Amino acid sequence: MKTPLPDYLSETMLGCFDGGAVADYIPELANVDPDQFGVALCTPEGTQYEAGDAEVEFSIQSASKPFAYALALETRGAAGVEAHVNVEPSGDPFNSASVDEETGRPDNPMINIGAITTYALTAPDDWTAAERFEHVRAGLSAFAGRELSVDLDVYHSEIGTSYRNMSLAYLVRSIGHFELEPSEVVAGYTRQCAIRVTARDLAVMGMTLGTGGVNPVTGQRVVSEETAQRVLSVMSTCGMYNASGDWMTDVGIPAKSGVGGGIFGVLPGQVGAATFSPRLDGFGNSVRGVALFERLSQDMGLHLMGVPPASDAAVHTFTIDEAPETRVVLAFQGPLRFAQSERVLRAFEEIPINELPVHLDFSRVTSADRVALRMINEGIRRLGLDGHPLHIDDPKDVLRRA
Ligand code: DON
């Protein structure tokens, strides 16, 4: 069989009408072919699907911001970054001077003022400008699983006219939220925005956040689980600028756009998706990208607030009464998280306190998260205290017992 997924992607693209205009405040971006359109998916196992112009390179622009934020979190720790960049949606356009009234911190790392500040935090202050940029380029490359390069034409085109970003950098520097020379920071940030990626790259980069920091294609751990979770949280509230509320309601996938025409979105543990189509709406988000994400979310049930299947199916309890003994058997299946583990503990609670042997069959369990491990191992300990001889069938060692 040939998998239907690429056909589905191609067909879905056909239904997305274009509109808007390419970004021209960065002169070089006005030269791209505005009709290009591509989409790519990457699964947690690293399987990739694509359609259209998914392998055409374009400049990552603001879609780089979550990854630079991740690098800053790794370098300075969450508290070290949050002291200088807040995590509140600004409700303002991406190039606004949105700072917290009391502390003067930029509102969040997804708007320009916050991303410029974040760039300064990606590496220690005593690194050279070249070392800092290479750290960011190499970091984004690890997210993509290939060496990424800078489009120097785009860089020169933007830096020549980046008066507004320069003023934002001077504002933050004057408040004291970074120590470096503002012009160096804007140059580095602008280079970061000029890194070339494809929709295929962005899908892998997104999935790396959605697996908790491990690149699903190369297997390399790029950032910690805590960092990945934090970045996705900020993307979900601030990633689409002043359209973030609409986006989260309609699409429900943490995402980030760039004026190069890219959008990537991540449903943790499910899929990384990316689109590329250069014409933008008034918020600076790709028109066909937004339309395609709306369709993907509906068709594939990807809304973050969609309710997952009930947890009842996680446990089957039965009593086997045959010589030489009567025993209670509990069989579990699927992934075990909080709700499933609570169901498991209720099933344990229903076992009468007596000397009957209890067989626990975990052979059909696919995974158990940290909370499930704590809850179920504690339940097993208590069953033992109740006096039941226990037989545990856990061939995949999901309970990770000594
Ligand atoms: O700083 C800028 O204005 C650009 N390098 C990036 C802005 C951007 O991509 C906004 N996104 N939609």
Side-chain angles (χ1 to χ4, degrees), residues 25-26 61-62 65 94 112 158 165 189 193 241 257-259 284:
Y25 76 99
I26 301 173
Q61 297 299 336
S62 288
K65 291 169 179 172
F94 68 85
N112 286 7
E158 182 169 9
N165 281 343
Y189 158 81
C193 290
Y241 308 117
S257 60
V259 289

Side-chain angles (χ1 to χ4, degrees), residues 1 7 16 34 40 45 56 58 73 90 162 165 174 188 227 246 262 268 281 289 352 359:
M1 184 209 79
D7 297 340
C16 298
E45 289 79 38
V56 171
F58 56 93
L73 289 170
S90 71
S162 55
N165 281 343
S174 73
T227 289
D246 266 348
D281 62 19
H359 285 237

